[in-house]
Amino acid sequence: MDGGGGGLKPMDSEQLREYGHQMVDFVADYYKNIENYPVLSQVEPGYLVKLLPDAAPNQPESLQRVLDDVQSKILPGVTHWQSPNFYAYYPANSSVAGFLGEILSAGINMVGFSWITSPAATELEMIVLDWLGKLLKLPQEFLSSGHGGGVIQGSASEAVLVVLLAARDKTLRMVGKSALGKLVVYGSDQTHSALQKACQIAGIHPENCRLLKTDSSTDYALSPEIVSEAISHDISIGLIPFFLCGTVGTTSSATVDPLYSLAKIAKSNGMWFHVDAAYAGSACICPEYRKYLDGVEEADSFNMNAHKWFLTNFDCSALWVKDRNALIQSLSTNPEFLKNKASQANLVVDYKDWQIPLGRRFRSLKLWMVLRLYGVENLQNYLRNHIELARYFQVCVGQDPRFEALSGMYTLRLVVGAPLTERRHIDAAWKVLQDEAFTLLCSPLQENGNLPKSPPPIGFFGNGFKAEPLPQK
Amino acid sequence: MDGGGGGLKPMDSEQLREYGHQMVDFVADYYKNIENYPVLSQVEPGYLVKLLPDAAPNQPESLQRVLDDVQSKILPGVTHWQSPNFYAYYPANSSVAGFLGEILSAGINMVGFSWITSPAATELEMIVLDWLGKLLKLPQEFLSSGHGGGVIQGSASEAVLVVLLAARDKTLRMVGKSALGKLVVYGSDQTHSALQKACQIAGIHPENCRLLKTDSSTDYALSPEIVSEAISHDISIGLIPFFLCGTVGTTSSATVDPLYSLAKIAKSNGMWFHVDAAYAGSACICPEYRKYLDGVEEADSFNMNAHKWFLTNFDCSALWVKDRNALIQSLSTNPEFLKNKASQANLVVDYKDWQIPLGRRFRSLKLWMVLRLYGVENLQNYLRNHIELARYFQVCVGQDPRFEALSGMYTLRLVVGAPLTERRHIDAAWKVLQDEAFTLLCSPLQENGNLPKSPPPIGFFGNGFKAEPLPQK
């Protein structure tokens, strides 16, 4: 009875086995029935506080009782991101392989801040990000064999923050710390809000975060001319441009910024060029979509979220940099209590110095499992299938004169990315939209003259990627 | 065969069940044999790249093959944080309950940045942090019913960073943005390095991060007199003190800073006072140890890591603030693609605005499971048992004249915190130390006169907490 205090054995291996099986069954049953839930939770704000006690129990409760509560109280408050009918935001894929990786990572439960705290965690991460970097045909400088390398961040927000900090400090080392107020960052009004947040955190003056205007003339891509003009103007008034963010697959419409031209501008002005391919990067492991990354060779850093469209459970945001020392110079600390021989001899990578937090989970396991249990060809076909489903949806829309694709107006947006999505789910989604259009366009309001008799068609965005013919073998 | 591309069914519920059971068995077997592994991984830097292929496989591999690789290639590179013989750093506890919470969270795999993306995730987090806040007897202002509330961060590093940003921006709103270079932060030379890193990130001048000296006269606690003097001096030269960090349980020796006095100094200077109880906070759910938090009533923010010593798998760092709006003002962004009715009507909490990343996992599930499956009394006894084991170790040391407790010299440090640790593991650790002492003190070096004949005893730190008599019922 020793070892847990008062008879509690919190790590008994046979209880872990028994309860673990029960929980796996619970999750498996959830997936079996996932289509029976409304995708969007239907609860009202504050619903849960009415259902749960206001203090933790003094005595233990049974697992069955907790699972009953999960079923009756928690799941109604869940928005089912893994439902095949989920088309919001961008997907956050789960998969059996990703799920298994999470179980194993939680089982080992180590905190891999330094190499010594579990060499396998650091080394597997380096290896798997090299694998993924090769699949994406990233330039050699992004791989671990040179001065760069890959690292798993929790999110694209953290990825853009750490490279912004690296770029900020690199610049300040040249121009002096007191110039912080003069530093300027560039993106577009379609760049993810994470860039703005990173600027806020890093102490960049809010007025020095330039979200340059885009419009339909470039399909909402960043115009190199506008970027050049803005940079020239800022230099002329004594400011210091230091960071440019390009996007492959913007959040609102999956637009691709012109990477080559942007990289050239950044380089000629001594700026850091970051490429955010958080969502769309996954598709670029297919040869026919790799062209959307053309120009990444010239970037300083590149990010894609394996937790979006690559079957790897959240969180797993892959970041590659060409100059890992720039990251380390911004983010390292070296307190007495973390010193060890391997680190001090500079023989190893300590990922604590590549990220915001100190602690980190063993996240490479799940990405490794996804790559091994599915294999590259299956993954490519999985992505192609989603793009094909999105194209199918586009055909549906095109055949109905009440809708039109991609206008500058108020639009609907549908993203295919849930692992379970099949053609029948698209049909169902399309029927909902058609029914709503019928109601909207034939409503009493219109009859009363409050809406134009022939309203403009309802626009929509699909995945943004056009389906490409498969490459010749 | 539709739905996955090329026959791949990445979310088949029956495969999830079958493979999930296999993985749970793998983890259970790992725990069954955990004492057979050396705690510290014995591999050399670069060992893994020699064992794995240099590219991802094109075709899928079997789960069995992957598990074989985990056993033969990954586990030798793991430092076993859950081993009962792990006494390094601070513990990072796993438990059956925490493990189950991770499985469920990975199973649901939603991304809870806004309330609408899964109301249960936000609301359970608020409820469970209220539960834990009440167990710690935090003041009412830290609970969700008022202007404050709790939030789960990934780590104490992120916790101190977000409150530093909130305090920075609150100050800059008063004194103007251009004063960033004048802001000063205070902690001690025993404060966790996360404070320094947070300063680097937030753009605080490195020379304005004051890590004030401590010594044995205060048991390495921050001296209020020294803090007062430093603040007065900084004000006299035109700087702006804005943030003070106190620690309950420092990383090196589990020292407790004098919270009341520090809070008073912070308040009288209009500064934010943060209390970092990342490790030791857990013990304060026991009435007899709650005294170490006295003074937290006057703090602006308080942090403890449930993932350290509270049986909740990594990551789960609980942060409470009194003024949630200060956080939100620093960290919110409101892009078009995240707008929704509940948020815009200000009816709900959107945790994306309380943290660095946008996305977030359903981490409250595991903390909820720990509290429910073990109950408060068991958790208190679990913590008391570890403190008792540390005391037992102290007795061992005290009986051996070759060792002495807590000197100002080079010291050994032993932290009891792994769930599996029993008295026999302490005995084994103590035997290792005694054997080493024998070797050291009777070595040929000493005979050759290179070491003094009566070297000073070897110092040691225990958990830092002195075992207290249990409170009268």
Side-chain angles (χ1 to χ4, degrees):
Chain A
M1 292 302 277
D2 202 359
L8 174 65
K9 289 193 165 184
M11 277 314 298
D12 180 83
S13 60
E14 293 315 310
Q15 193 185 70
L16 181 143
R17 191 187 310 271
E18 182 193 338
Y19 284 12
H21 285 184
Q22 257 183 277
M23 188 58 92
V24 165
D25 284 336
F26 186 90
V27 172
D29 292 342
Y30 167 66
Y31 279 102
K32 210 166 161 179
N33 300 313
I34 195 165
E35 293 196 44
N36 299 337
Y37 297 96
V39 178
L40 182 69
S41 170
Q42 303 295 306
V43 302
E44 295 294 319
Y47 89 101
L48 192 56
V49 75
K50 297 170 196 154
L51 301 177
L52 294 182
D54 66 354
N58 270 316
Q59 299 302 326
E61 299 182 70
S62 71
L63 177 57
Q64 193 51 56
R65 197 166 159 183
V66 174
L67 288 178
D68 289 347
D69 276 359
V70 173
Q71 189 65 52
S72 64
K73 297 172 184 170
I74 301 296
L75 286 184
V78 166
T79 292
H80 302 277
W81 286 63
Q82 304 313 316
S83 166
N85 296 310
F86 182 92
Y87 305 113
Y89 306 110
Y90 278 134
N93 278 188
S94 182
S95 67
V96 173
F99 178 69
L100 295 175
E102 286 285 11
I103 296 179
L104 184 57
S105 166
I108 295 176
N109 199 50
M110 60 89 234
V111 187
F113 45 81
S114 302
W115 178 87
I116 191 76
T117 66
S118 266
T122 297
E123 297 196 11
L124 187 64
E125 188 161 328
M126 294 168 71
I127 291 167
V128 172
L129 288 201
D130 278 351
W131 286 9
L132 187 54
K134 287 173 191 171
L135 287 182
L136 290 164
K137 299 198 185 351
L138 296 185
Q140 191 71 30
E141 300 107 297
F142 281 129
L143 305 185
S144 65
S145 50
H147 299 291
V151 58
I152 297 177
Q153 304 280 332
S155 66
S157 308
E158 287 158 275
V160 72
L161 174 58
V162 296
V163 295
L164 185 84
L165 293 169
R168 178 196 71 179
D169 294 347
K170 199 172 165 181
T171 305
L172 291 180
R173 280 192 294 275
M174 289 188 293
V175 300
K177 277 171 212 150
S178 58
L180 179 57
K182 293 183 179 173
L183 300 188
V184 193
V185 171
Y186 305 81
S188 86
D189 55 7
Q190 301 300 307
T191 303
H192 194 279
S193 55
L195 178 65
Q196 196 194 326
K197 185 158 176 169
C199 289
Q200 288 170 210
I201 293 166
I204 307 298
H205 273 205
E207 59 269 32
N208 288 355
C209 179
R210 311 246 175 283
L211 303 179
L212 302 167
K213 204 169 152 36
T214 61
D215 61 35
S216 57
S217 73
T218 59
D219 265 350
Y220 299 93
L222 194 48
S223 146
E225 292 71 35
I226 291 176
V227 175
S228 280
E229 278 166 31
I231 290 175
S232 298
H233 177 258
D234 285 331
I235 292 174
S236 76
I237 58 172
L239 297 178
I240 305 170
F242 82 105
F243 191 87
L244 172 61
C245 180
T247 306
V248 175
T250 59
T251 311
S252 291
S253 65
T255 286
V256 178
D257 286 335
L259 302 190
Y260 264 130
S261 310
L262 295 179
K264 207 173 148 191
I265 295 169
K267 193 165 269 184
S268 70
N269 288 284
M271 298 163 67
W272 186 292
F273 182 46
H274 176 65
V275 175
D276 170 4
Y279 163 63
S282 296
C284 302
I285 69 159
C286 302
E288 69 273 29
Y289 300 114
R290 172 57 177 76
K291 63 183 177 191
Y292 293 115
L293 291 191
D294 285 354
V296 72
E297 299 71 28
E298 305 299 322
D300 295 286
S301 50
F302 173 78
N303 172 233
M304 71 80 95
N305 285 348
H307 64 237
K308 278 200 164 67
W309 196 17
F310 206 69
L311 292 173
T312 311
N313 286 44
F314 187 84
D315 51 353
C316 188
S317 179
L319 170 69
W320 291 266
V321 294
K322 282 187 183 167
D323 176 10
R324 60 176 174 251
N325 280 330
L327 273 189
I328 294 168
Q329 283 185 274
S330 274
L331 296 169
S332 75
T333 53
N334 194 20
E336 183 65 30
F337 52 80
L338 297 182
K339 284 181 182 159
N340 66 85
K341 277 185 203 161
S343 299
Q344 287 178 280
N346 219 5
L347 290 172
V348 294
V349 163
D350 289 329
Y351 274 131
K352 71 182 176 62
D353 298 335
W354 298 47
Q355 63 175 19
I356 302 296
L358 174 59
R360 59 202 321 273
R361 301 191 303 134
F362 200 162
R363 292 179 292 208
S364 54
L365 281 174
K366 55 188 170 185
L367 182 52
W368 187 52
M369 295 221 171
V370 164
L371 289 165
R372 291 190 64 178
L373 291 179
Y374 299 137
V376 175
E377 281 187 25
N378 271 330
L379 290 166
Q380 289 170 330
N381 289 333
Y382 169 77
L383 294 157
R384 287 172 183 140
N385 182 57
H386 277 147
I387 295 171
E388 187 54 37
L389 288 172
R391 195 199 57 78
Y392 169 68
F393 180 71
Q394 195 171 15
V395 170
C396 295
V397 173
Q399 287 168 348
D400 188 326
R402 292 171 301 175
F403 293 82
E404 71 171 359
L406 194 57
S407 73
M409 314 169 304
Y410 186 80
T411 50
L412 301 172
R413 176 178 173 285
L414 180 139
V415 177
V416 179
L420 291 166
T421 303
E422 301 175 16
R423 188 179 278 225
R424 64 191 169 92
H425 302 106
I426 300 285
D427 284 331
W430 176 229
K431 182 152 187 324
V432 169
L433 291 172
Q434 285 186 309
D435 291 350
E436 290 293 322
F438 179 82
T439 312
L440 185 69
L441 301 178
C442 307
S443 73
L445 274 179
Q446 186 190 355
E447 282 160 25
N448 293 340
N450 288 330
L451 274 183
K453 278 208 175 123
S454 299
I458 300 160
F460 95 100
F461 287 115
N463 274 34
F465 276 104
K466 291 171 194 71
E468 302 277 337
L470 295 190
Q472 303 292 330
K473 293 260 175 180
Chain B
M1 294 299 279
D2 201 359
L8 174 66
K9 288 192 165 186
M11 276 315 297
D12 180 80
S13 60
E14 293 316 309
Q15 194 186 67
L16 182 142
R17 193 187 310 272
E18 182 193 336
Y19 285 11
H21 284 186
Q22 257 183 277
M23 188 58 91
V24 165
D25 283 336
F26 186 90
V27 172
D29 291 342
Y30 167 66
Y31 280 101
K32 211 166 161 178
N33 300 312
I34 195 164
E35 295 196 43
N36 299 337
Y37 297 95
V39 178
L40 182 69
S41 170
Q42 303 296 306
V43 301
E44 294 294 319
Y47 89 101
L48 192 56
V49 75
K50 297 171 196 156
L51 302 177
L52 294 181
D54 67 354
N58 270 315
Q59 300 301 327
E61 298 181 71
S62 71
L63 178 58
Q64 193 51 55
R65 198 167 158 184
V66 175
L67 288 179
D68 290 346
D69 276 359
V70 172
Q71 189 65 51
S72 64
K73 298 172 183 170
I74 300 297
L75 286 185
V78 166
T79 292
H80 302 278
W81 286 63
Q82 303 313 315
S83 166
N85 296 309
F86 183 92
Y87 305 114
Y89 306 112
Y90 278 135
N93 278 187
S94 182
S95 66
V96 173
F99 179 68
L100 296 175
E102 286 285 12
I103 296 180
L104 184 58
S105 168
I108 295 175
N109 200 49
M110 61 87 233
V111 188
F113 44 82
S114 304
W115 178 87
I116 192 77
T117 66
S118 268
T122 297
E123 297 196 11
L124 187 65
E125 188 161 329
M126 294 167 70
I127 291 166
V128 173
L129 288 201
D130 279 352
W131 286 9
L132 187 53
K134 288 174 191 171
L135 287 182
L136 290 164
K137 300 202 187 344
L138 296 185
Q140 190 72 30
E141 300 107 295
F142 280 130
L143 306 185
S144 66
S145 49
H147 299 293
V151 59
I152 298 176
Q153 304 281 332
S155 64
S157 309
E158 288 159 275
V160 72
L161 174 58
V162 297
V163 297
L164 185 83
L165 293 169
R168 178 196 72 179
D169 294 347
K170 198 173 166 183
T171 306
L172 292 180
R173 281 193 294 275
M174 291 188 292
V175 301
K177 276 172 214 149
S178 58
L180 179 58
K182 294 183 180 170
L183 300 189
V184 193
V185 170
Y186 304 81
S188 85
D189 55 7
Q190 301 299 307
T191 304
H192 194 279
S193 56
L195 178 66
Q196 195 194 326
K197 185 159 177 170
C199 289
Q200 288 170 209
I201 292 166
I204 306 298
H205 273 207
E207 60 269 33
N208 288 355
C209 179
R210 311 244 175 285
L211 302 179
L212 302 166
K213 205 169 152 40
T214 61
D215 60 35
S216 58
S217 74
T218 59
D219 264 350
Y220 300 93
L222 194 47
S223 145
E225 291 70 35
I226 292 177
V227 176
S228 280
E229 276 166 31
I231 290 175
S232 299
H233 177 259
D234 285 331
I235 292 174
S236 76
I237 59 172
L239 297 177
I240 307 171
F242 82 104
F243 190 87
L244 172 61
C245 180
T247 305
V248 175
T250 58
T251 311
S252 292
S253 64
T255 285
V256 178
D257 286 335
L259 302 189
Y260 265 130
S261 310
L262 296 178
K264 206 173 148 190
I265 294 169
K267 193 165 267 183
S268 69
N269 288 284
M271 297 162 67
W272 186 293
F273 181 46
H274 175 64
V275 175
D276 170 3
Y279 163 64
S282 296
C284 302
I285 70 161
C286 300
E288 69 274 28
Y289 300 114
R290 172 57 178 77
K291 63 183 176 189
Y292 292 114
L293 291 192
D294 285 354
V296 71
E297 300 72 28
E298 305 299 324
D300 295 286
S301 49
F302 174 78
N303 172 232
M304 71 79 96
N305 285 348
H307 63 237
K308 277 200 165 67
W309 196 17
F310 206 70
L311 293 173
T312 311
N313 286 45
F314 188 83
D315 51 352
C316 187
S317 178
L319 171 69
W320 290 266
V321 295
K322 281 187 182 165
D323 176 10
R324 60 177 173 251
N325 280 330
L327 272 189
I328 294 169
Q329 282 183 276
S330 275
L331 296 168
S332 76
T333 53
N334 194 20
E336 183 65 31
F337 53 81
L338 297 182
K339 285 181 181 159
N340 66 83
K341 276 185 204 162
S343 298
Q344 288 178 279
N346 218 4
L347 292 171
V348 294
V349 163
D350 289 329
Y351 274 130
K352 72 181 175 64
D353 299 335
W354 299 47
Q355 64 174 20
I356 302 296
L358 174 59
R360 60 204 319 274
R361 301 189 303 135
F362 201 160
R363 291 178 292 208
S364 54
L365 282 174
K366 56 188 168 185
L367 183 52
W368 186 53
M369 294 217 173
V370 165
L371 288 165
R372 290 191 64 180
L373 291 179
Y374 299 136
V376 175
E377 282 187 23
N378 272 329
L379 290 166
Q380 289 170 332
N381 288 334
Y382 169 77
L383 294 157
R384 286 172 182 142
N385 183 55
H386 277 148
I387 295 171
E388 186 55 35
L389 288 173
R391 194 197 58 77
Y392 169 67
F393 179 72
Q394 194 171 15
V395 170
C396 295
V397 173
Q399 287 168 350
D400 188 326
R402 291 171 301 174
F403 293 82
E404 72 171 357
L406 195 56
S407 74
M409 315 170 303
Y410 186 82
T411 51
L412 300 172
R413 175 179 175 283
L414 180 141
V415 177
V416 179
L420 291 167
T421 303
E422 302 175 16
R423 189 179 275 224
R424 63 191 170 95
H425 302 105
I426 300 285
D427 284 330
W430 176 228
K431 180 150 189 325
V432 168
L433 292 171
Q434 286 186 307
D435 291 350
E436 290 294 321
F438 179 83
T439 310
L440 185 67
L441 301 179
C442 308
S443 72
L445 272 178
Q446 187 188 353
E447 284 161 24
N448 293 338
N450 289 328
L451 273 182
K453 278 206 174 126
S454 297
I458 300 161
F460 94 99
F461 286 116
N463 274 32
F465 276 106
K466 291 171 193 69
E468 301 278 336
L470 295 188
Q472 303 292 331
K473 291 262 178 181

